[in-house]
Amino acid sequence: MTLDLNKIKQAQKNIEGVVRKTPLIYSSTFSKQSGYEIYLKCENKQKTGAFKLRGAYNKIMTLTPEEKEKGVLASSAGNHAQGVAYAATACGIKSTIVMPATAPQAKVEATKGYGAEVIQHGEVYDECYEKALEVLKETGATFVHPFNDEEVMAGQGTIALEILEELPDVDAIVVPIGGGGLISGVAVAAKSIKPDIKIIGVQSEIIASTKASLEAGKVVTVGGAKSLADGISVKTPGDITFKYIKEYVDEVITVSEDEISYAMFSLMERSKLISEGSGAVPLAALLANKIKVDGKKIALLISGGNVDMAMILKIINRELILQKRRLRFSVELQDRVGELGALINHIGKLGANIVSVRQDTNWEEKGIDFANVVFEIESQSKEHSIEIMKELKEKGYNVQSLSLS
């Protein structure tokens, strides 16, 4: 275990001028909701859209000329891939990246755009890692591990230096955990500067390999489906990172898929920040009241923002439905001129946004003089939705709520 504050400070010098110093934003919204003073460390604003560039660039800067000549190889769910590709191209080095077949297309295309050759294999990180080892034997390239490498961990630790430079009295830093490289670097840096700071890790509960390993007292491999937080869907934590986690991390919390989805939505709506699932897990833990800190100031590390637009749409629709801000209902109308127009006008006056209107062409039991019209609307809140339904019924309309999936 040779990772220390000096190595992390050297990494900060190595990446200077290439890696951005990302903003640390105070959130009044999340502060009010939690009772803490909440700051968001926005690594989703980093070049390549995630923190991974820090570790990848630092690692490549430490390679020998002979190693650089052979090129670099990496396996990644997406963010490390982009970091390695960007760093390698910036240094004039060939890069090959093995990514899961399930990796978000935005991450795959971005990695290719940064100049890497991409090979897709497997469902999660661990499977593409095995494939990368096969490629490594064939090419002799230098493998840049996404987390189980102290030079990579040192690069990630520079995030803690930035947080403490800007907010020296921070009481806790909450960090996503996949393989453990990010939290290891952050924890070593932060605890070396401020020993009483609390470092809290967060994982998806459906693939919580680090938490399971801590409970077992050794590195273990867990099963589990791929999480919405795909960047931290790692079955087996690193053996090197695990040593640092045991020594420097105070607590590991798990969050559900619903909690991750809600956090992603909340970051978009309240902070105007796009975060991937992995980046949202610290906020997910906070909003689920799972974080307990003696002090007041907490930094949440929003580790990345690389998420498909299609996924963002799914998250928004899902949360609007769960929060009863999008609803579907049918209204029985007499099939005559002006009835539908009057109803649409009335719904508009109630402050709802009509998403769609469709007349049900199925046979109406009352006969051909009646029709069921299906509405899908958006409201301002759950309470607003309830009020709209109440007003329509009081107006004399026969309204039936419908399920929305």
Side-chain angles (χ1 to χ4, degrees):
M1 295 176 69
T2 62
L3 181 64
D4 58 18
L5 184 60
N6 288 332
K7 183 173 282 191
I8 295 169
K9 286 184 175 180
Q10 180 58 51
Q12 190 174 47
K13 293 178 182 178
N14 290 344
I15 68 176
E16 188 176 4
V18 176
V19 174
R20 291 174 183 155
K21 182 177 181 180
T22 52
L24 183 67
I25 301 172
Y26 173 73
S27 171
S28 58
T29 297
F30 301 136
S31 296
K32 289 176 183 176
Q33 288 182 11
S34 66
Y36 295 105
E37 293 178 29
I38 301 300
Y39 295 80
L40 307 176
K41 179 58 173 174
C42 300
E43 283 295 294
N44 58 328
K45 300 293 185 181
Q46 186 56 262
K47 288 179 182 178
T48 74
F51 74 96
K52 289 286 191 176
L53 177 61
R54 295 174 182 266
Y57 196 86
N58 185 57
K59 174 65 176 179
I60 288 174
M61 287 294 289
T62 65
L63 298 181
T64 65
E66 292 75 21
E67 288 172 325
K68 291 178 181 179
E69 180 67 27
K70 293 180 180 180
V72 293
L73 172 71
S75 57
S76 168
N79 289 334
H80 181 61
Q82 294 173 71
V84 172
Y86 184 99
T89 299
C91 296
I93 299 171
K94 181 181 185 299
S95 62
T96 303
I97 316 292
V98 184
M99 303 177 70
T102 55
Q105 195 59 32
K107 294 183 180 182
V108 175
E109 293 303 320
T111 303
K112 292 178 180 178
Y114 290 128
E117 176 188 349
V118 174
I119 300 170
Q120 289 190 260
H121 177 84
E123 296 293 317
V124 293
Y125 165 75
D126 306 78
E127 293 168 0
C128 69
Y129 172 66
E130 293 300 322
K131 179 65 175 178
L133 294 182
E134 294 177 15
V135 177
L136 187 65
K137 293 177 182 178
E138 298 170 2
T139 63
T142 298
F143 187 71
V144 181
H145 202 285
F147 51 83
N148 210 35
D149 183 300
E150 291 190 348
E151 297 297 346
V152 170
M153 293 153 64
Q156 323 304 25
T158 61
I159 297 171
L161 299 184
E162 292 178 11
I163 292 173
L164 285 162
E165 285 168 6
E166 195 167 343
L167 192 68
D169 56 345
V170 63
D171 296 298
I173 303 176
V174 187
V175 188
I177 300 181
L182 173 61
I183 197 167
S184 295
V186 167
V188 170
K191 293 276 190 178
S192 298
I193 296 170
K194 188 177 182 181
D196 62 342
I197 195 171
K198 190 169 185 180
I199 304 298
I200 301 171
V202 187
Q203 290 197 295
S204 167
E205 65 183 24
I206 66 173
I207 187 165
S209 56
T210 295
K211 187 171 181 64
S213 296
L214 288 170
E215 291 171 351
K218 61 180 181 180
V219 174
V220 298
T221 298
V222 301
K226 177 187 169 186
S227 170
L228 176 59
D230 63 286
I232 56 173
S233 292
V234 178
K235 293 180 180 179
T236 310
D239 58 338
I240 300 173
T241 61
F242 185 64
K243 294 175 183 177
Y244 288 100
I245 290 170
K246 284 198 299 181
E247 182 169 343
Y248 291 96
V249 175
D250 296 283
E251 183 181 8
V252 175
I253 296 167
T254 62
V255 290
S256 69
E257 297 301 290
D258 285 345
E259 289 164 348
I260 297 170
S261 175
Y262 178 59
M264 293 174 70
F265 180 85
S266 298
L267 282 167
M268 285 187 277
E269 183 170 51
R270 304 313 301 266
S271 298
K272 309 303 179 273
L273 292 173
I274 300 296
S275 171
E276 59 195 84
S278 305
V281 296
L283 180 62
L286 180 81
L287 296 180
N289 297 314
K290 295 181 178 180
I291 293 176
K292 306 298 179 185
V293 175
D294 292 334
K296 294 292 291 182
K297 295 185 178 181
I298 300 177
L300 306 181
L301 207 169
I302 311 303
S303 58
N306 294 317
V307 58
D308 281 335
M309 293 298 102
M311 179 59 71
I312 291 175
L313 180 59
K314 287 180 181 179
I315 295 295
I316 293 172
N317 287 336
R318 172 185 171 82
E319 291 303 321
L320 288 176
I321 292 167
L322 290 175
Q323 295 177 32
K324 306 298 183 185
R325 291 163 59 184
R326 174 171 286 184
L327 62 156
R328 182 184 294 159
F329 57 87
S330 68
V331 183
E332 181 186 85
L333 291 178
Q334 282 192 291
D335 194 7
R336 63 188 183 189
V337 175
E339 285 289 312
L340 179 57
L343 177 55
I344 290 173
N345 185 55
H346 187 63
I347 292 173
K349 287 182 178 179
L350 292 175
N353 176 44
I354 299 175
V355 177
S356 67
V357 180
R358 176 178 60 82
Q359 182 171 325
D360 189 345
T361 57
N362 292 330
W363 179 256
E364 167 58 46
E365 291 182 359
K366 287 189 176 181
I368 61 175
D369 289 338
F370 290 84
N372 283 323
V373 180
V374 178
F375 285 85
E376 186 173 329
I377 69 170
E378 290 178 353
S379 66
Q380 298 168 16
S381 65
K382 179 180 179 180
E383 292 72 24
H384 186 210
S385 293
I386 294 171
E387 186 62 28
I388 290 169
M389 298 295 281
K390 179 183 176 184
E391 288 277 346
L392 291 177
K393 290 176 181 178
E394 289 180 352
K395 194 76 172 176
Y397 289 107
N398 183 3
V399 182
Q400 299 293 326
S401 295
L402 302 174
S403 63
L404 187 59
S405 58

